[in-house]
Amino acid sequence: MSDTAGPVLAADGRPLKVSLNRALRREKLRAFLLVSPLLLFVLVTFIAPIADMLFRSVENSIVQETIPRTTDALRAWDPDETELPDEGTFQALYTDMVFAEELKLHTRLGSRLNYEKPGISSLFRKSGRSVGKFDTKDYEKAYTDLDAAWEDPATWDRLSREGFPGPRTASAYVGWRETLIAEGDDPLEEDPWDVLFGALHSDLVAYDASYDDPLLQAAKTASAGLDPISYTQQFEDIDEDWTNPEVWKTIQTYAAKYTPGYFLNSVDRQLTPEGVTTRDDNERIYILLFQRTLIMSMMITFSCILLGYPIAFLLANLPMRSANVLMILVLLPFWTSLLVRTSSWKVLLQQQGVINDVLVWIGIVADDSRLQLINNQTGTIIAMTHILLPFMILPLYSVMKTIPLSYVRAAKSLGATDWTAFWRVYFPNSVPGIGAGSILVFILAIGYYITPELVGGTKGVFISNRIAYHISSSLNWGLAAALGTILLVAVLILYWAYDKIVGIDNVKLGG
Amino acid sequence: MKLTTTLLATGALVLSAGASFADGHMAGDMTLVSWGGAYQKSQQRAYVEPYIAANSGVSAIWDESSAEAVAKLRAMNEAGNVTWDLVDVVAADAIRLCDEGLAMEIDADEVLAAAPDGTSASDDFGDLLVSDCFIPQIVYSTTFGYRTDLVGDTPPTDVCAVFDTATYPGKRSLEKRAINNMEWALICDGVAKDDVYDVLETEEGQAQALAKLDTIKDDVIWWSAGADTPQLLADGEIVMGSTYNGRLFSVIEEQDQPVAMLWDAQIFDLDGWIIPAGLPDDRLARVKDFVKFATDTQRLADQAKYISYGPARASSAPLVGKHADLGIDMAPHMPTDPENAKNTFLYNYEFWADYRDDIEAKFQAWLAQ
């Protein structure tokens, strides 16, 4: 064949590659269609919920959605220049709170911000109860006394189309309308609330304009004569904390739709108004727990290899009949409930437990210095090694089953000692089993939480215990999601490193 | 063709029947959420069985999820499919659920029955209505039990015995969370009972409480399930430990273990129902009917026959009788009994709603270090 020869052609004159691809494409499509139900199932029930949960680690739209006017107003506030935000911000907060309270959203926001600054939860709860009793009632009375048309929702509807005297009224009206619609009420049938009159008054006195509409013009003339109310004062009357700049700074810091706050929290840092700071020594916990989780999981994996390897070897090399009995012994605990197994370890390991009793009886341990085997790291490692052992033995066994005995015999016939034959011939062949078992055990261990919770005491708990706590007790799902994401990424990195060092092709679950 | 018509007709019939049920009628099934174990059994016997006997066609399904109720209810709410009708939670969780808008606000006088003498429900429950969503059932306390055979000749009478490892050597068990432990630590560090929460509000106060706990850190087994302390006491693994008073009652009276109560500085807490927000009308009607029955004066008094928790109504207290199976008087085993309640401590819900996340973080960091 010469160097200039073109691509290999098929019988119909097309390049063979193209022809082959075409034939394969149909095969691929069929294969894809066959797996698509499973793929769809996994996407909908597994990938999508996980993605949704992970997304919560940065998502923070609750602040903007609940108090939009306040967060807008706060954008202009510089805490270095004025101690507190201006009166307009307090009025914006009032407007937001009235609507949020009606829909019972303010307390939810309070719990969210309470994660960042203790005390905000009750501040919001308290304020929600009081925003219905603001002095804006006086405005309502004054305007409706002036002209009964102000009581009619149709007036407000008309003005919304013809133009309100200013943005505050417009924004308050939109909020009012939306709140009523959200509650299933008709905005054309409900009496306007005092918050609207408060906004109207602010707008009328703020702009030096005259109106063609006699209703507005009359209201404008009357407005100047009304005593202005101080929203700042009203909030201060509810709780002095509203005049604490720290509260406002916290709201300002967490006003953004997305926040790195949860991730910073999960590495013992904190997003404060002054920037990212490291947490005090007495509040640092997560990095310690991450380290502990990784180290203990590795120790558990290693003990599983140590204990599992000889058993798997025995299983693979005994005659079928005795191997089957042994196999059942391996599988029996596997079929027993996890809680039962963990609880029985309690009975065995505690200081008045079976193991300590036996040791004292033999005389190895004095009665007054019984061993501390549970409620610490030892307890977690013992119990979890036992629970995860089958995940090590089974892949090891299935790999060992495939190593021909003739290899070892051949090695021996060439003069190798038993040890050399094992170490140089048999062991390298079983490494893929160790790899598979280790990955299984390690990944299961890193996410375990029931066993560490029950036997781990304080030093033997994993990061997953904190994740569970934040999911089910503190309801700080954002932080739980951030911790979970970090854990997931850590596992992926380790998997990648494993692939680089050992090679994932060297992992065998059997065959 | 004929089959299709029949099917359609039946379908329409079922639909219209369903619709007519929705307005005004009550649903037949209720899903009740509780804690399982002896407590749920007391509810089953004291008011669920009598209610079903009186209302034929009604059935109750139990879901033992109260420990994760807040998280699960929030998830159900986000998914837009709340399958629970009535949820038993501790008061602190009820406040959280109310804050999150997940529980329905109720008007106690409208939803709950008045006392037999005509006292309105809100007066009968009194201060125990700690949240607008909360329907109290029982008063329980977290308190200490000790092994009578391990404390020598001078059984403890003071809660500070927990911190006194010289007089009472051995392990003790405490709950693996900040709530209650911080209060006891401060009381035993010389803080007056009334000042506890003022002190705990400050960084120094929190440090003080942790420092006090630090003196016994190596002697403590931390529990997370209510059954842990009874088991540890029964096995002789600990000298004394905190848990719910009902659990100690069953160790002492039902299992006859050498254990006694140390009622000193017991911390009262409440447990009760909440109705999830947004139930459809027919289910809501059924639940309201059930709750009115289940929390009336006689029913709450009946519950005390099966478990040693105090009824939440003032009017129920005189009606508390004997244990249904053991035949012993229940009144002396109630946390609210004057003899037991000489020195009690009232849990501050508002405080913990605000400071729980912060103090808990510090407490857990302290534990892990």
Side-chain angles (χ1 to χ4, degrees):
Chain A
M1 212 184 278
S2 77
D3 289 343
T4 51
V8 186
L9 299 185
D12 60 357
R14 279 183 234 245
L16 183 61
K17 220 172 174 180
V18 176
S19 181
L20 200 63
N21 270 344
R22 172 171 302 207
L24 282 178
R25 196 177 305 147
R26 177 175 290 191
E27 285 292 308
K28 275 186 189 158
L29 189 68
R30 189 167 0 170
F32 179 76
L33 282 178
L34 278 173
V35 298
S36 62
L38 177 65
L39 189 68
L40 199 69
F41 179 76
V42 169
L43 272 178
V44 171
T45 62
F46 188 68
I47 309 281
I50 288 183
D52 175 66
M53 204 62 211
L54 297 186
F55 180 59
R56 288 167 194 266
S57 59
V58 288
E59 203 264 356
N60 188 47
S61 54
I62 180 169
V63 185
Q64 245 180 50
E65 278 168 15
T66 316
I67 49 170
R69 297 167 190 83
T70 316
T71 51
D72 269 354
L74 273 178
R75 234 163 261 164
W77 177 52
D78 182 356
D80 295 332
E81 278 176 20
T82 52
E83 206 198 342
L84 279 179
D86 58 3
E87 174 73 8
T89 312
F90 276 94
Q91 186 179 3
L93 179 69
Y94 166 65
T95 315
D96 284 332
M97 282 294 268
V98 168
F99 301 137
E101 198 273 334
E102 188 64 24
L103 298 173
K104 297 274 164 271
L105 298 173
H106 65 298
T107 43
R108 214 177 278 202
L109 177 62
S111 340
R112 162 68 188 98
L113 291 173
N114 202 62
Y115 297 137
E116 316 302 339
K117 178 162 173 45
I120 293 195
S121 175
S122 69
L123 183 64
F124 270 68
R125 202 178 314 121
K126 216 183 211 179
S127 308
R129 279 198 289 261
S130 307
V131 287
K133 303 170 205 143
F134 267 37
D135 288 345
T136 40
K137 290 257 187 276
D138 299 346
Y139 291 147
E140 181 178 355
K141 189 168 179 319
Y143 287 117
T144 49
D145 283 353
L146 188 71
D147 193 328
W150 285 115
E151 266 176 286
D152 183 3
T155 312
W156 291 86
D157 183 50
R158 178 173 62 79
L159 285 175
S160 77
R161 276 177 276 112
E162 292 171 4
F164 282 118
R168 269 168 286 221
T169 325
S171 150
Y173 181 76
V174 170
W176 180 69
R177 228 182 103 85
E178 282 169 358
T179 308
L180 289 178
I181 291 172
E183 288 199 307
D185 294 326
D186 184 355
L188 288 175
E189 287 176 8
E190 296 290 318
D191 286 345
W193 299 349
D194 54 349
V195 61
L196 296 180
F197 292 97
L200 180 70
H201 178 265
S202 314
D203 277 341
L204 285 174
V205 293
Y207 301 100
D208 193 19
S210 59
Y211 301 97
D212 297 337
D213 189 334
L215 183 71
L216 278 177
Q217 187 57 42
K220 163 127 188 111
T221 320
S223 295
L226 294 175
D227 285 339
I229 69 166
S230 160
Y231 292 96
T232 314
Q233 187 59 45
Q234 303 257 318
F235 272 103
E236 197 182 343
D237 289 346
I238 300 176
D239 197 310
E240 283 180 356
D241 273 355
W242 282 118
T243 54
N244 176 0
E246 292 302 317
V247 169
W248 286 99
K249 283 189 206 165
T250 307
I251 299 178
Q252 195 183 36
T253 312
Y254 286 91
K257 239 183 155 75
Y258 299 99
T259 174
Y262 293 124
F263 273 105
L264 290 170
N265 250 341
S266 19
V267 289
D268 294 332
R269 278 167 183 69
Q270 197 177 13
L271 181 64
T272 63
E274 285 78 36
V276 177
T277 56
T278 310
R279 280 191 182 275
D280 295 341
D281 270 346
N282 64 352
E283 287 178 49
R284 278 184 220 162
I285 178 168
Y286 297 115
I287 289 184
L288 179 75
L289 282 179
F290 273 119
Q291 286 170 348
R292 194 176 277 172
T293 307
L294 290 181
I295 292 171
M296 285 178 68
S297 298
M298 282 179 194
M299 287 168 78
I300 289 162
T301 312
F302 191 66
S303 351
C304 279
I305 298 174
L306 270 188
L307 293 176
Y309 197 90
I311 297 174
F313 182 80
L314 210 59
L315 276 172
N317 292 297
L318 278 180
M320 206 48 153
R321 184 193 296 258
S322 16
N324 274 345
V325 175
L326 257 186
M327 194 61 168
I328 287 177
L329 288 181
V330 171
L331 288 176
L332 207 59
F334 196 46
W335 293 330
T336 319
S337 153
L338 175 73
L339 284 175
V340 172
R341 278 184 285 166
T342 309
S343 307
S344 46
W345 277 113
K346 272 191 169 183
V347 178
L348 287 173
L349 293 178
Q350 61 186 5
Q351 286 195 304
Q352 307 293 325
V354 179
I355 291 178
N356 265 309
D357 281 350
V358 171
L359 291 178
V360 169
W361 181 69
I362 299 176
I364 298 179
V365 172
D367 198 13
D368 53 357
S369 58
R370 286 169 177 250
L371 300 179
Q372 177 79 41
L373 295 172
I374 201 172
N375 296 320
N376 54 16
Q377 298 195 351
T378 321
T380 306
I381 290 174
I382 293 177
M384 282 190 49
T385 301
H386 169 243
I387 283 162
L388 295 176
L389 204 49
F391 293 98
M392 181 63 81
I393 294 176
L394 294 178
L396 265 177
Y397 167 72
S398 60
V399 167
M400 286 178 178
K401 258 315 223 198
T402 61
I403 304 174
L405 278 177
S406 50
Y407 287 10
V408 178
R409 269 188 241 128
K412 283 189 188 165
S413 75
L414 290 172
T417 59
D418 280 356
W419 170 250
T420 317
F422 168 76
W423 186 244
R424 302 283 298 275
V425 176
Y426 193 87
F427 183 76
N429 273 305
S430 66
V431 163
I434 297 183
S438 302
I439 289 190
L440 266 180
V441 169
F442 183 78
I443 290 180
L444 282 172
I446 216 170
Y448 239 63
Y449 92 100
I450 298 178
T451 308
E453 181 72 33
L454 290 176
V455 299
T458 56
K459 300 256 182 342
V461 293
F462 285 6
I463 189 71
S464 37
N465 297 92
R466 294 316 292 161
I467 297 179
Y469 167 78
H470 285 303
I471 288 280
S472 63
S473 289
S474 79
L475 287 196
N476 194 346
W477 288 5
L479 181 54
L483 291 169
T485 309
I486 293 177
L487 194 59
L488 182 64
V489 170
V491 171
L492 290 178
I493 290 175
L494 284 171
Y495 185 79
W496 174 82
Y498 184 89
D499 186 30
K500 285 277 159 216
I501 300 165
V502 185
I504 215 68
D505 297 338
N506 280 331
V507 167
K508 268 194 206 160
L509 284 168
Chain B
M1 190 68 186
K2 198 162 175 232
L3 183 71
T4 337
T5 332
T6 329
L7 274 178
L8 278 176
T10 329
L13 209 70
V14 169
L15 274 180
S16 62
S20 72
F21 262 122
D23 44 66
H25 287 75
M26 297 186 198
D29 291 333
M30 298 183 289
T31 306
L32 309 176
V33 183
S34 188
W35 301 91
Y39 181 67
Q40 184 177 311
K41 215 149 97 194
S42 75
Q43 294 177 311
Q44 169 80 7
R45 290 173 72 179
Y47 30 78
V48 175
E49 277 168 10
Y51 182 79
I52 290 175
N55 297 270
S56 60
V58 177
S59 62
I61 303 153
W62 288 103
D63 186 336
E64 301 178 2
S65 294
S66 280
E68 310 90 48
V70 186
K72 285 195 175 175
L73 210 50
R74 192 203 239 191
M76 283 186 192
N77 193 279
E78 283 190 10
N81 181 24
V82 178
T83 57
W84 292 346
D85 294 316
L86 195 60
V87 188
D88 191 293
V89 288
V90 292
D93 283 345
I95 293 175
R96 270 167 181 258
L97 287 166
C98 216
D99 278 357
E100 294 256 329
L102 300 172
M104 194 180 92
E105 289 189 11
I106 53 143
D107 175 1
D109 288 330
E110 182 201 325
V111 174
L112 307 175
D117 63 1
T119 313
S120 70
S122 52
D123 286 339
D124 205 13
F125 283 108
D127 293 341
L128 305 191
L129 293 165
V130 291
S131 150
D132 294 336
C133 305
F134 186 56
I135 307 166
Q137 288 171 80
I138 54 137
V139 179
Y140 70 94
S141 81
T142 308
T143 186
F144 285 90
Y146 61 89
R147 282 283 294 211
T148 47
D149 54 344
L150 294 179
V151 291
D153 301 330
T154 49
T157 53
D158 185 341
V159 70
C160 297
V162 175
F163 295 91
D164 182 1
T165 46
T167 320
Y168 304 103
K171 300 252 175 201
R172 33 281 264 136
S173 71
L174 292 173
E175 190 171 2
K176 203 193 278 182
R177 62 171 195 174
I179 297 172
N180 295 352
N181 293 329
M182 301 293 265
E183 285 100 321
W184 281 320
L186 284 183
I187 291 173
C188 291
D189 206 31
V191 175
K193 237 172 29 173
D194 294 339
D195 299 336
V196 164
Y197 288 110
D198 293 335
V199 173
L200 209 48
E201 213 174 284
T202 62
E203 300 249 335
E204 301 77 50
Q206 294 157 12
Q208 185 189 351
L210 288 178
K212 182 72 182 173
L213 285 167
D214 215 42
T215 60
I216 55 165
K217 193 177 180 185
D218 293 336
D219 296 297
V220 175
I221 295 177
W222 301 94
W223 60 268
S224 43
D228 286 346
T229 294
Q231 176 254 320
L232 291 168
L233 278 171
D235 288 353
E237 191 74 5
I238 52 169
V239 188
M240 56 185 83
S242 70
T243 188
Y244 314 124
N245 72 291
R247 299 275 190 173
L248 289 170
F249 171 80
S250 79
V251 173
I252 298 169
E253 297 296 337
E254 290 168 12
Q255 295 161 23
D256 231 359
Q257 297 289 331
V259 173
M261 306 285 296
L262 172 64
W263 288 105
D264 187 51
Q266 54 165 326
I267 298 185
F268 281 145
D269 199 351
L270 304 169
D271 190 89
W273 300 113
I274 59 103
I275 303 174
L279 287 186
D281 289 344
D282 58 336
R283 279 164 61 194
L284 184 60
R286 169 60 67 201
V287 164
K288 278 187 170 172
D289 190 59
F290 172 73
V291 157
K292 191 167 214 159
F293 172 81
T295 57
D296 71 10
T297 301
Q298 186 59 48
R299 249 44 65 180
L300 286 186
D302 285 350
Q303 194 179 358
K305 278 192 219 162
Y306 308 102
I307 200 149
S308 65
Y309 293 131
R313 276 180 186 266
S315 61
S316 299
L319 303 177
V320 171
K322 288 186 190 307
H323 190 278
D325 303 321
L326 299 174
I328 52 173
D329 254 338
M330 287 304 276
H333 296 282
M334 294 289 157
T336 43
D337 188 72
E339 196 58 29
N340 302 333
K342 281 182 200 151
N343 181 24
T344 63
F345 191 82
L346 197 64
Y347 175 86
N348 186 331
Y349 299 103
E350 188 107 323
F351 175 84
W352 281 113
D354 279 344
Y355 287 89
R356 180 173 160 163
D357 297 315
D358 186 40
I359 295 183
E360 199 66 47
K362 286 179 186 157
F363 181 79
Q364 296 297 340
W366 169 78
L367 269 186
Q369 276 157 12

